[in-house]
Amino acid sequence: IKKHMFPILGKRPIGNIDFEEVLNALRTIWESTPPTAWKIQGAMRQIFEHAGLKGDQNVARWKDNLDQKLPHPDEFHEAKQQPSMNWRLIPEFVEKLENHETIGAKALILHILTVGRSETICLAEWEQFDFENKIWHRPKEIMKAVQSKGRSVKYPHDQPISDATIEFLLSIKGQQFAGGYVSEEGLVFRGEKGGRIYDDHMGRVVPELGYKRGEIVPHGFRASFKDWSLDDPMNLNFGELITEKTMAHQIGDEVRNTYVRTEFIRRRKPIIDEWSKHCFAGTTVVDNVSNISEAKA
């Protein structure tokens, strides 16, 4: 909204924004980036509603309003699989990322190691990491919303982290990189002016390393992890349930999720450890832990 809507609608009282203005603003991105446009429309509807503009007063609502002028994205947008890297090439890629001194490269390493979504990486805070128990406590605010009983709901997610991931994070803490820096507190990754970073900080690393940007995107590394787990190179038999929970996916129907509340953290720890070993296979490894500080020495 800040990127696409603010420049058009400007800093004005929300009650002064009319239907045609919302419609024309959304039209600028409706066909070029349908998924993003659809999310923005939904978020705008919520903003207008929270501002007290309910029912017919909410000019950003979809039903019996914008749907009269705009086609639903499903009518013209075909969902595509995110381009991903073959899991066998991940060690080589991670090694290149370690040697690439940009804030995006460091964020992308954490993204790959923790099988997170871009937003969780961009909004990761030091206080969320429990290094003693080796868990990243992801609050619901940074997680992707899921549909539950007809509404969007966000749930917190505890992700095990490996010794190598902890070593990596501590090695970059307080360090300055091109395009930003890693803080000592609060948000882990910060842009040049101290604010949060975005998906594009990670995405632009791909062409910088000599790959075609359209062939690899940050989100695609989640698919790399999934393929690796299904190919089961070490015959570890992690199981579909464990890999899906590792990716913070809801499993089964709403009834099942109402009663099955365990996060399988203990059972997810080994798969994260093995995935980390695989990712760092191209770097210096000491006692099965990638010694980042020595590798950079």
Side-chain angles (χ1 to χ4, degrees):
I1 291 177
K2 183 177 181 181
K3 178 180 179 181
H4 296 288
M5 298 292 104
F6 276 21
I8 301 174
L9 299 176
K11 296 181 179 179
R12 298 159 50 205
I14 193 169
N16 291 349
I17 300 174
D18 62 31
F19 170 77
E20 289 296 330
E21 290 178 295
V22 172
L23 175 64
N24 291 331
L26 287 171
R27 275 176 170 161
T28 64
I29 58 173
W30 200 254
E31 293 188 5
S32 59
T33 57
T36 298
W38 183 245
K39 291 178 183 178
I40 287 176
Q41 181 275 319
M44 288 178 65
R45 176 190 59 77
Q46 294 181 55
I47 291 172
F48 275 71
E49 186 171 300
H50 285 300
L53 300 170
K54 301 181 182 296
D56 293 344
Q57 290 182 307
N58 190 337
V59 295
R61 72 187 188 281
W62 176 254
K63 188 176 181 181
D64 298 325
N65 187 52
L66 290 168
D67 62 345
Q68 304 300 307
K69 298 289 185 178
L70 295 172
H72 193 287
D74 289 347
E75 295 179 16
F76 63 92
H77 175 69
E78 182 179 348
K80 299 179 180 178
Q81 289 185 328
Q82 297 279 12
S84 62
M85 177 178 284
N86 187 297
W87 62 265
R88 296 174 180 83
L89 303 178
I90 296 295
E92 176 186 351
F93 186 75
V94 169
E95 186 175 18
K96 290 181 179 180
L97 287 176
E98 286 193 89
N99 295 319
H100 196 62
E101 300 298 301
T102 69
I103 193 66
K106 306 313 168 188
L108 190 52
I109 290 177
L110 184 65
H111 173 80
I112 295 172
L113 291 173
T114 58
V115 202
R117 292 184 174 90
S118 297
E119 192 74 354
T120 64
I121 305 302
C122 296
L123 296 178
E125 297 187 10
W126 286 111
E127 293 76 11
Q128 297 165 5
F129 291 91
D130 180 349
F131 290 142
E132 182 177 351
N133 293 305
K134 304 174 184 178
I135 295 175
W136 177 8
H137 298 291
R138 295 167 170 165
K140 65 180 182 180
E141 289 77 15
I142 70 173
M143 299 300 296
K144 180 181 178 181
V146 297
Q147 290 298 312
S148 177
K149 297 181 180 178
R151 62 191 182 96
S152 294
V153 182
K154 291 187 175 184
Y155 297 101
H157 183 255
D158 286 346
Q159 182 74 313
I161 52 177
S162 67
D163 289 335
T165 299
I166 296 173
E167 173 87 11
F168 164 70
L169 280 171
L170 295 179
S171 74
I172 61 174
K173 191 172 186 177
Q175 298 292 315
Q176 189 79 31
F177 299 98
Y181 63 96
V182 177
S183 70
E184 295 277 358
E185 60 182 9
L187 286 172
V188 176
F189 301 105
R190 297 179 184 268
E192 291 179 312
K193 296 182 180 180
R196 60 161 289 180
I197 65 169
Y198 292 87
D199 180 78
D200 189 58
H201 284 82
M202 292 183 280
R204 71 180 67 152
V205 174
V206 172
E208 290 172 356
L209 294 180
Y211 300 85
K212 291 183 179 180
R213 187 165 186 168
E215 293 179 348
I216 305 170
V217 297
H219 192 81
F221 288 103
R222 285 165 57 83
S224 303
F225 164 81
K226 184 66 176 180
D227 289 343
W228 168 83
S229 69
L230 291 174
D231 283 346
D232 204 10
M234 302 293 291
N235 293 316
L236 297 173
N237 298 313
F238 295 114
E240 189 80 358
L241 180 65
I242 302 305
T243 59
E244 288 297 295
K245 276 293 185 181
T246 302
M247 299 176 73
H249 285 162
Q250 292 293 303
I251 303 176
D253 58 24
E254 292 181 7
V255 174
R256 181 200 177 282
N257 287 310
T258 298
Y259 291 98
V260 182
R261 300 174 185 177
T262 179
E263 291 296 311
F264 304 103
I265 293 177
R266 181 181 60 81
R267 293 176 61 187
R268 282 194 280 125
K269 183 68 167 61
I271 192 173
I272 281 292
D273 287 342
E274 291 301 325
W275 172 242
S276 180
K277 290 176 185 178
H278 173 70
C279 293
F280 280 130
T283 64
T284 302
V285 179
V286 179
D287 293 331
N288 292 326
V289 177
S290 300
N291 194 323
I292 307 298
S293 58
E294 289 185 12
K296 288 188 175 183

